[in-house]
Amino acid sequence: MSGVVESADHEQVVFCRDRASGLHAIIAIHSTALGPALGGTRFHPYSSEDDALSDVLRLSRAMTYKAACAGLDLGGGKAVIIGDPAKLKTEPLLRAYGRFVESLAGRYYTACDVGTFPDDMDVIARESRFVTGRTRTHGGAGDSSELTAFGVFMAMRAAAAHTWATPSLRGRRVGIAGAGKVGRRLAEHLIADGASIVVADVANAAVDQLRARHPDIEAEDPQKLLARDLDVYAPCALGGVLDDETVPALRAEIVCGGANNQLAHAGIATLLRDHGVLYLPDYVVNAGGLIQVADEIAGFDERRARARAEKIFDTCQRILAMATDHDITPARAADHLAEQRIAEISRPRGSWRPNQATAPQPREVAP
């Protein structure tokens, strides 16, 4: 069974239940003004359905803005599966979820997120045509963390150019919170550019693995990294790390990382500016992953996707120039840029319908 509820800011919210497999999921479509909604499926043990709903509504809205700023003809959506993936993730559950995705007839494309991986997308794709972020074996682009990290690096270069009049991070100290897939790949880009790295992660094994490859990287306690003497602070783990208490302790001049929802609330963007910290909005910075899975819909071309991700540098420069010219925060400038594109493009199109000729064409359901 699925139930649909109204949201003041969303086109559609679908509650998905399959008792046989234990599936309990929510799919949120925020906007299809620019095209079908695209966003990952997060598999997480939320403490309640209300918490899951709050998260999926916030994340799907951010995807709308992310796609718009990235110049993609896609809208914003997201899904959450409620539960511990280590205990509940099974083929029947993923296939049941795939049937719900298919029932939306292309208004929503799903992909990987926290707790889901390309192999999971291959299973979901056995029930739905509207799946991306798949393994290379099944024609996908594989792990999107590589292009995500590359996009973060491009954004960081733009922030450096704005702050220090050079796009290079050579000689700068960058603190990376999170030594997972994105944080690890970001560190490699920064080391190649001549930066020194301080890394922190609650998983000691992830830090040890990174330092085994790059012994010059310094390890730090996750609770202490934010207050270190850094040039750049790069949140690449969970969101919400920047709040009313942590911002005054922040010593970096730039905040630029791959984590979603880095700000505890919208007012933190102003607080960061008041403390002399340049913050680039996470949904602009980490758009490389979205660019990759979006490119995969019509058949992945690595050069094309990388070239588009490289333009994150230009987008960030435009946002920072707009913020300076209008005396607003970069977060507000990014919102304005996204809203402007949505307003301009959506006027002749309205919300997206499955039979529109301009829709991306999905591949056939994989066996």
Side-chain angles (χ1 to χ4, degrees), residues 5-238:
V5 299
E6 292 185 0
S7 167
D9 199 34
H10 286 69
E11 291 182 11
Q12 190 174 10
V13 181
V14 183
F15 290 78
C16 314
R17 284 275 200 176
D18 181 72
R19 292 184 179 179
S21 67
L23 174 71
H24 185 189
I26 308 173
I27 301 172
I29 298 174
H30 176 257
S31 171
T32 59
L34 296 179
L38 171 59
T41 296
R42 179 166 295 191
F43 205 139
H44 183 73
Y46 293 96
S47 59
S48 68
E49 186 179 76
D50 285 346
D51 286 348
L53 178 60
S54 176
D55 201 29
V56 77
L57 293 177
R58 183 176 68 252
L59 291 168
S60 58
R61 183 179 186 276
M63 292 302 296
T64 296
Y65 282 71
K66 183 183 292 191
C69 279
L72 300 172
D73 290 333
L74 292 165
K78 205 78 175 184
V80 295
I81 299 176
I82 301 170
D84 184 346
K87 298 178 181 178
L88 298 180
K89 189 191 294 183
T90 62
E91 179 182 342
L93 182 146
L94 292 174
R95 292 185 69 159
Y97 171 66
R99 291 191 288 274
F100 280 103
V101 174
E102 181 68 17
S103 73
L104 291 170
R107 280 177 50 79
Y108 168 67
Y109 278 77
T110 196
C112 305
D113 198 80
V114 175
T116 58
F117 303 90
D119 286 338
D120 299 325
M121 296 303 112
D122 287 344
V123 176
I124 294 167
R126 297 178 70 177
E127 300 288 347
S128 177
R129 295 162 291 169
F130 309 106
V131 183
T132 183
R134 300 186 61 189
T135 63
R136 292 183 183 272
T137 303
H138 287 85
D143 186 1
S144 63
S145 64
E146 183 172 351
L147 213 57
T148 301
F150 177 70
V152 175
F153 179 57
M154 289 295 104
M156 201 176 289
R157 292 180 69 247
H162 184 84
T163 304
W164 303 307
T166 174
S168 175
L169 277 301
R170 180 170 296 279
R172 301 295 176 181
R173 184 183 297 272
V174 181
I176 301 177
K181 293 182 291 185
V182 173
R184 181 173 68 247
R185 294 181 186 277
L186 175 61
E188 290 171 350
H189 285 298
L190 290 166
I191 289 169
D193 198 36
S196 61
I197 307 298
V198 184
V199 67
D201 197 301
V202 293
N204 292 330
V207 174
D208 292 342
Q209 183 181 21
L210 182 56
R211 295 188 71 233
R213 298 184 61 181
H214 304 285
D216 290 338
I217 290 178
E218 180 184 353
E220 180 56 276
D221 184 323
Q223 301 298 320
K224 298 179 180 178
L225 179 66
L226 188 141
R228 282 286 301 268
D229 188 11
L230 304 169
D231 295 300
V232 183
Y233 175 64
C236 293
L238 296 177

Side-chain angles (χ1 to χ4, degrees), residues 263-274:
L263 308 186
H265 58 80
I268 298 298
T270 300
L271 185 62
L272 284 163
R273 185 187 64 174
D274 292 346

